[in-house]
C-alpha cells in the first residue's frame, strides 16, 4: 500500500470501499471538521454529518497520536484518543486513495480503496522540521503549504527560526525598528566567490499572520516552536538597536554574507529587558510549551578582554566574561519556566555543563545528545551527519551550489536516534528533527528540492518501528510516494534521472566548470 511513514501494522482485508457523493460522516464535530479539511478539496465530497454515516470517527482509549483505521466494503471506522490521532488517520486515508486526491482540485478518478485494518502509533513525540526564514525570507503562503507537506508525513513539530544576522522576521510592536531596519539587507553573496547580487532582500511576518499560521498548523496536528536567537547571530537586531551591542559606534549592518560573526549581544540589564520584552511578545503568539532560544555559535571575542564586560561578569559573581552566555541562558530558562514554558537550545547550552530543565537539540554531532541524556537531560537528535538538509543531497557535479557536506537519502534513513544511549535512558530522547538552513536556498522551490525526499526518510525514522527498517523496501515505497508529491506540485529531487531544477530555475552550479 506504499504508506509512508510505514504504519505499525497493516492487515489487508478483502473487497473495496467506494467513496461516493452520498458518503456521510458520523463523528464529533471537531473530528468531522478534520476529515473535511483534509479530504474535501481533493475528493470533492462534502462529507455531511449523519448519525448512521458509513464513515465513523470515534474516541478510544489509545496512546497520544495513535489511531486505528478499519476499512470494510461498507464502512470506514477510525478510532483515536486525540485530535492528532484523527489527523494522522485521515492522512493515512489520503495515502490509501489515488494520488490525484492530493491535488487541490477534486479528482475525477475512481475513489475506491482496498479494505484494510491499520494500527498505528508514533515512535517519538517530537518529529520535527526546522526552517530558517532568516537567511532567506519565505512568503507567508509558502509556510502554509510547508505545513501541509509536513502533515502529510505525520510530522508534529515545525521549528521556525525567525531571526538571523541576515534578517529579523518577527514583528515587534515594542521595538518596531527590528522589522523596519533589521528585516532587510542590501544584497546577498550567493556563493563564496560571489561579489554580491546587488539586490536587496527582506521581509517579516506580522504577529497577526503568525497567529493564523499557528492556528493552521495546530488544526493539522503540528505545533510551531518559535526561535528567537540570542546572544549570537544578532547582527539584524544590532542594526536596528546598536545600543544593545558591544560597539554601538561601529555602524552595524545586517549581514550580506554567511558564517559566524563576532558581533554578539552586550549582556547588560538593558539587553536582558529587551530580550524578555521580545519573548513576551513571542509567547502571546506561540502557545507551544517549547520555546527555542538558539544559543549556538556565540563567539566571546567581544567580551574577553573588554573592561566593561569583565566588570559586568564580576558584578554578577562570574569567573569571567566567558560565563556570561551561561548566566543569560539560565535567566531565560527560569523566566520561561515561570510562564509554563520550557527552553530548547542548540547543544552549546551545555558547554559549561548540562543545563538542567532544558531540552538539548544535539546538532554538532550525536555525542552531545548522548552526553546530555546520560546526565538526565531531554534531547532532540538533530545531528549534521544525518539531518542537515542544507548539505548536498548527492555528489553529482550538477547539484546547485550548497553549503557543503553530503547527506544522501539513504544516509538519513540510517539515523538511529538512540544509538549510544543505554536502554534505560531511551525515554530521554524526545525525538529527532531535520534542519533546512537557507543560506543557499533563496526560494521555496529550492527548499522543496533540498527537503524532499530526504524528509520522507527522516519522517519514517521519527515515526516508525526501527525493527522493520529496510532501505530496499523503503526505496520501492518511496518511488510510489513521490507520485503523491508530484500531485502536490513539490519540486523534490528525484532519486534517479534529471533533476527538476535543470528544467528551469536560477542559481550557480556546485562546480561552475562542470559543463565546460
Ligand atoms: C547550527 O547549525 N548552528 C545550529
Amino acid at each position: 500500500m506504499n504508506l509512508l511513514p510505514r504504519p505499525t501494522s497493516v492487515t489487508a482485508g478483502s473487497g473495496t470501499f467506494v467513496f461516493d457523493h452520498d458518503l456521510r460522516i458520523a463523528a464529533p464535530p471537531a473530528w468531522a471538521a478534520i476529515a473535511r479539511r483534509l479530504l474535501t478539496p481533493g475528493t470533492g465530497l462534502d462529507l455531511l454529518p449523519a448519525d448512521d454515516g458509513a464513515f465513523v470517527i470515534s474516541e478510544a482509549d489509545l496512546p497520544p497520536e495513535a489511531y486505528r483505521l478499519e476499512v470494510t466494503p461498507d464502512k470506514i471506522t477510525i478510532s483515536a484518543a486525540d485530535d492528532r490521532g484523527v489527523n494522522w488517520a485521515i492522512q493515512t486515508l489520503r495515502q490509501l486513495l489515488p494520488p490525484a486526491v492530493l491535488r487541490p482540485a477534486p479528482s475525477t478518478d475512481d475513489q475506491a480503496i482496498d479494505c484494510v485494518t491499520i494500527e498505528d502509533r508514533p515512535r517519538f513525540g517530537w518529529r520535527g522540521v526546522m526552517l530558517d526564514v532568516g537567511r532567506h525570507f519565505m512568503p507567508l503562503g509558502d509556510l502554509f503549504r510547508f505545513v501541509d507537506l509536513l502533515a502529510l508525513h505525520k510530522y508534529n513539530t515545525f521549528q521556525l527560526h525567525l531571526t538571523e544576522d541576515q534578517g529579523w522576521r518577527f514583528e515587534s510592536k515594542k521595538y518596531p525598528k527590528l522589522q523596519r531596519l533589521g528585516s532587510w539587507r542590501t544584497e546577498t553573496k550567493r556563493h563564496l566567490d560571489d561579489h554580491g547580487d546587488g539586490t536587496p532582500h527582506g521581509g517579516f511576518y506580522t504577529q497577526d499572520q503568525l497567529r493564523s499560521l499557528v492556528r493552521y498548523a495546530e488544526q493539522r496536528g503540528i505545533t510551531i516552536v518559535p526561535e528567537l536567537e540570542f546572544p549570537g547571530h544578532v547582527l539584524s537586531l544590532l542594526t536596528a538597536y546598536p545600543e544593545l551591542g558591544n560597539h554601538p559606534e561601529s555602524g552595524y549592518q545586517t549581514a550580506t554574507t554567511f558564517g559566524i560573526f563576532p558581533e554578539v549581544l552586550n549582556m547588560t540589564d538593558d539587553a536582558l529587558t529587551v530580550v524578555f520584552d521580545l519573548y513576551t511578545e513571542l509567547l502571546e503568539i506561540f502557545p507551544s510549551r517549547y520555546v527555542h532560544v538558539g544559543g549556538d555559535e556565540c563567539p566571546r571575542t567581544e567580551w574577553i578582554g573588554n573592561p566593561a564586560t569583565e566588570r559586568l561578569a564580576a558584578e554578577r559573581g562570574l569567573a569571567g566574561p566567558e560565563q556570561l552566555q551561561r548566566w543569560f541562558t539560565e535567566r531565560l530558562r527560569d523566566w520561561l519556566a515561570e510562564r509554563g514554558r520550557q527552553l530548547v537550545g542548540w547543544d552549546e547550552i551545555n558547554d559549561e555543563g548540562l543545563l538542567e530543565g532544558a531540552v538539548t537539540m544535539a546538532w554538532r554531532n550525536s555525542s552531545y545528545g548522548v552526553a546530555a541524556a546520560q546526565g538526565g537531560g531531554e534531547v532532540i537528535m538533530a545531528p549534521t551527519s544525518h539531518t542537515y538538509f542544507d548539505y548536498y543531497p548527492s555528489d553529482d557535479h550538477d547539484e546547485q551550489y550548497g553549503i557543503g557536506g553530503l547527506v544522501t537519502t539513504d544516509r538519513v534513513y540510517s539515523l538511529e536516534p538512540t544509538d549510544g544511549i543505554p536502554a534505560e535512558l531511551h525515554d530521554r530522547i524526545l525525538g529527532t528533527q531535520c534542519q533546512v538552513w537557507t543560506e543557499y536556498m533563496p526560494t521555496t522551490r529550492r527548499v522543496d528540492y533540498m527537503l524532499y525526499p530526504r524528509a520522507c526518510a527522516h519522517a519514517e525514522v521519527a515515526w516508525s518501528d526501527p525493527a522493520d527498517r529496510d532501505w530496499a523496501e523503503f526505496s520501492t515505497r518511496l518511488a510510489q510516494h513521490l507520485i503523491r508529491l508530484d500531485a502536490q506540485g513539490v519540486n523534490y529531487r528525484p532519486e534517479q534521472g534529471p533533476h527538476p531544477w535543470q528544467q528551469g530555475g536560477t542559481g550557480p552550479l556546485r562546480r561552475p566548470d562542470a559543463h565546460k
Side-chain angles (χ1 to χ4, degrees):
M1 289 177 173
N2 296 310
L3 298 170
L4 193 158
R6 182 173 27 72
T8 311
S9 91
V10 178
T11 310
S14 57
T16 56
F17 179 94
V18 179
F19 282 68
D20 63 42
H21 280 87
D22 296 331
L23 181 59
R24 302 275 169 141
I25 188 164
W31 286 0
I34 293 172
R36 277 194 288 272
R37 191 174 294 134
L38 294 174
L39 290 169
T40 297
T43 62
L45 305 186
D46 292 329
L47 300 175
L48 296 173
D51 289 343
D52 61 349
F55 183 178
V56 178
I57 310 179
S58 56
E59 193 168 348
D61 187 17
L62 287 172
E65 304 196 63
Y67 68 92
R68 185 171 189 281
L69 166 64
E70 187 180 13
V71 182
T72 63
D74 47 25
K75 202 165 184 180
I76 294 176
T77 313
I78 288 172
S79 323
D82 54 19
D83 289 1
R84 280 186 168 166
V86 175
N87 261 291
W88 310 142
I90 306 284
Q91 292 291 357
T92 296
L93 204 50
R94 293 172 87 212
Q95 294 197 4
L96 291 169
L97 280 157
V101 303
L102 294 171
R103 294 201 182 118
S107 158
T108 51
D109 291 3
D110 280 349
Q111 294 174 10
I113 56 178
D114 292 335
C115 293
V116 68
T117 301
I118 294 172
E119 314 257 3
D120 204 7
R121 62 178 178 279
R123 180 177 181 203
F124 291 111
W126 185 302
R127 305 180 304 281
V129 179
M130 187 219 72
L131 180 66
D132 163 18
V133 293
R135 268 56 175 264
H136 279 99
F137 175 77
M138 303 290 160
L140 182 71
D142 293 358
L143 299 190
F144 286 95
R145 173 182 175 276
F146 196 86
V147 166
D148 289 338
L149 289 169
L150 298 198
L152 177 67
H153 295 88
K154 300 188 174 75
Y155 277 111
N156 67 359
T157 304
F158 174 13
Q159 182 184 332
L160 196 52
H161 181 83
L162 282 162
T163 65
E164 261 307 336
D165 295 301
Q166 295 81 8
W168 183 277
R169 311 293 175 216
F170 176 66
E171 178 193 35
S172 168
K173 308 276 190 201
K174 194 153 187 182
Y175 301 97
K177 281 196 279 183
L178 285 170
Q179 59 267 20
R180 208 163 64 234
L181 302 176
S183 73
W184 284 89
R185 59 177 181 260
T186 53
E187 63 170 352
T188 307
K189 291 195 168 63
R190 303 237 160 254
H191 56 93
L192 285 183
D193 306 325
D194 193 7
H195 296 300
D197 63 4
T199 307
H201 176 88
F204 67 94
Y205 308 106
T206 67
Q207 294 194 0
D208 202 38
Q209 288 174 329
L210 290 170
R211 211 176 264 116
S212 103
L213 182 68
V214 165
R215 179 89 186 108
Y216 186 87
E218 182 186 287
Q219 287 180 329
R220 286 155 183 80
I222 294 174
T223 300
I224 302 190
V225 173
E227 178 184 0
L228 300 182
E229 159 110 69
F230 301 107
H233 289 288
V234 290
L235 261 174
S236 61
L237 171 121
L238 299 181
T239 300
Y241 295 95
E243 61 274 25
L244 302 178
N246 294 279
H247 299 287
E249 71 292 350
S250 67
Y252 297 112
Q253 291 291 328
T254 305
T256 59
T257 58
F258 303 109
I260 302 174
F261 297 92
E263 292 85 358
V264 301
L265 212 56
N266 183 359
M267 289 295 185
T268 59
D269 289 345
D270 285 353
L272 204 62
T273 300
V274 173
V275 168
F276 287 153
D277 283 347
L278 289 169
Y279 274 108
T280 300
E281 293 193 64
L282 191 80
L283 264 44
E284 282 168 14
I285 312 296
F286 294 93
S288 166
R289 165 179 167 72
Y290 298 104
V291 177
H292 205 299
V293 304
D296 60 316
E297 300 178 330
C298 177
R300 280 97 210 247
T301 41
E302 287 194 328
W303 295 345
I304 294 174
N306 175 339
T309 318
E310 304 266 359
R311 204 164 43 244
L312 200 57
E315 278 166 23
R316 296 193 168 138
L318 305 173
E322 63 285 353
Q323 297 293 324
L324 277 166
Q325 180 174 0
R326 176 57 171 242
W327 175 88
F328 168 82
T329 312
E330 287 177 359
R331 300 285 87 68
L332 210 43
R333 173 200 58 190
D334 296 346
W335 186 91
L336 287 168
E338 283 162 18
R339 287 152 185 82
R341 312 294 183 104
Q342 191 173 2
L343 180 147
V344 185
W346 301 110
D347 57 48
E348 287 95 327
I349 60 170
N350 299 329
D351 279 357
E352 290 80 28
L354 182 72
L355 183 69
E356 281 186 25
V359 177
T360 299
M361 200 164 264
W363 74 275
R364 286 177 288 185
N365 63 55
S366 297
S367 71
Y368 290 94
V370 173
Q374 282 173 337
E378 292 178 306
V379 173
I380 317 292
M381 284 295 189
T384 54
S385 56
H386 295 75
T387 68
Y388 265 45
F389 294 175
D390 52 339
Y391 285 18
Y392 284 108
S394 83
D395 54 12
D396 292 354
H397 284 212
D398 52 6
E399 294 292 354
Q400 274 191 54
Y401 190 84
I403 204 157
L406 177 64
V407 174
T408 55
T409 306
D410 61 324
R411 179 151 182 89
V412 177
Y413 197 65
S414 73
L415 172 67
E416 178 37 60
T418 59
D419 264 355
I421 294 172
E424 67 273 17
L425 293 177
H426 282 188
D427 67 348
R428 303 280 82 200
I429 306 301
L430 303 186
T432 176
Q433 180 169 290
C434 60
Q435 279 54 241
V436 185
W437 298 106
T438 58
E439 282 94 333
Y440 303 106
M441 298 181 215
T443 61
T444 295
R445 173 183 189 145
R446 186 79 188 133
V447 169
D448 272 7
Y449 181 90
M450 297 298 267
L451 187 53
Y452 298 102
R454 290 187 285 190
C456 306
H458 181 257
E460 183 148 313
V461 170
W463 177 279
S464 304
D465 184 346
D468 300 327
R469 223 187 284 172
D470 174 343
W471 169 251
E473 184 275 332
F474 174 78
S475 304
T476 319
R477 207 155 21 90
L478 177 61
Q480 295 304 307
H481 183 70
L482 292 180
I483 299 171
R484 296 186 188 117
L485 297 189
D486 277 324
Q488 301 228 316
V490 178
N491 190 61
Y492 63 84
R493 178 183 186 280
E495 289 290 272
Q496 286 106 26
H499 304 164
W501 76 266
Q502 291 175 299
Q503 298 157 16
T506 328
L509 292 172
R510 177 182 197 184
R511 298 182 190 159
D513 59 354
H515 290 294
K516 277 188 187 157

